[in-house]
Amino acid sequence: MFGILGVFGVGVSIIIIAIGGGFSGSGPSILHPSTAADLWTVGQGIKQGTVLNYSLTGIGSRSSLINALVSMNFVQDTGSAWKVNFYIHNDSVAKNGSVLLAKQQLTNVGSIDSSFKAYYEPVESSVLSIRDIAREPKYLAIGAPWDSIFVAFSSIPIRVTDHETLQTTAGTFDAFTLSYTIGSKTSKIFITHQIPLPVRAEVYDSEGRLQYQYELVGKRLQ
């Protein structure tokens, strides 16, 4: 009898894990499962004329931007890609450049002009780095796993850990927090169904140093 119950119990546990999609915390359950409406995709909802403006500090090994304003203007639909005009400026630099970004995942199409590359790289490794985490549609639901990062010999999960009303200078958003902790520092990325890229982030490297932080400060959604 105990053997039968033991096997049955294991079977039930496996089914619950499978139905829950591996979620942890107070996320989706059998009674309230996630649906397609909970999925978020990089670049979703972009139309010709969409503009996203960010304040950005990005510190990289090859180039950095400190207290910069980055404007992304999706000016032309080329079929499978967007032509995006970037305007990047702070107290010491002002630079314009155009980049083709694929409609799927907003990945680069073709090469980046050499005169613009040093200014584009801090944007690519911060605001656009969500492409490396959300390589396919992901659930915006507490407990939903998004990815893992490897530090030394440890695998650290990246999950949705919170749901809140987020106030920014660009507006008020119903946002979910994607986070992970390395040492004493917790990195956070805030995502909403309302915007095709994250609205805020503060991310640290494995040594606990600020890697980048940004916030949406203005927008035009078509």
Side-chain angles (χ1 to χ4, degrees), residues 86-108:
F86 287 82
Y87 177 54
I88 301 170
H89 70 94
N90 58 15
D91 291 339
S92 60
V93 67
K95 193 71 175 178
N96 292 307
S98 295
V99 177
L100 281 179
L101 297 179
K103 287 184 177 179
Q104 185 173 2
Q105 293 300 107
L106 297 184
T107 52
N108 298 341

Side-chain angles (χ1 to χ4, degrees), residues 115-177:
S115 65
F116 185 61
K117 193 170 185 178
Y119 305 94
Y120 177 65
E121 283 180 346
V123 180
E124 187 175 30
S125 61
S126 57
V127 179
L128 293 176
S129 68
I130 192 65
R131 305 177 301 192
D132 301 324
I133 299 174
R135 294 179 294 276
E136 64 279 323
K138 298 288 188 178
Y139 285 105
L140 283 181
I142 293 178
W146 275 44
D147 204 353
S148 296
I149 59 174
F150 292 89
V151 177
F153 298 103
S154 300
S155 175
I156 299 172
I158 304 174
R159 293 183 179 274
V160 178
T161 55
D162 201 2
H163 181 201
E164 63 182 278
T165 299
L166 185 67
Q167 303 279 350
T168 76
T169 55
T172 301
F173 302 101
D174 179 38
F176 290 81
T177 307

Side-chain angles (χ1 to χ4, degrees), residues 19-95:
I19 292 175
F23 287 23
S24 65
S26 57
S29 66
I30 295 175
L31 298 179
H32 302 284
S34 290
T35 68
D38 297 309
L39 288 170
W40 182 85
T41 304
V42 175
Q44 67 181 22
I46 290 176
K47 296 180 175 62
Q48 186 165 304
T50 293
V51 177
L52 301 174
N53 298 326
Y54 287 91
S55 61
L56 168 66
T57 290
I59 302 170
S61 58
R62 290 179 293 184
S63 60
S64 299
L65 284 173
I66 308 298
N67 297 327
L69 179 65
V70 177
S71 179
M72 304 170 60
N73 188 351
F74 294 78
V75 295
Q76 185 180 356
D77 182 347
T78 67
S80 61
W82 295 108
K83 179 183 178 183
V84 186
N85 287 347
F86 287 82
Y87 177 54
I88 301 170
H89 70 94
N90 58 15
D91 291 339
S92 60
V93 67
K95 193 71 175 178

Side-chain angles (χ1 to χ4, degrees), residues 197-216:
L197 287 168
V199 293
R200 179 186 290 170
E202 185 172 313
V203 172
Y204 298 88
D205 65 17
S206 59
E207 303 298 322
R209 297 169 299 201
L210 181 68
Q211 187 173 347
Y212 59 81
Q213 62 182 14
Y214 61 79
E215 181 175 312
L216 186 72

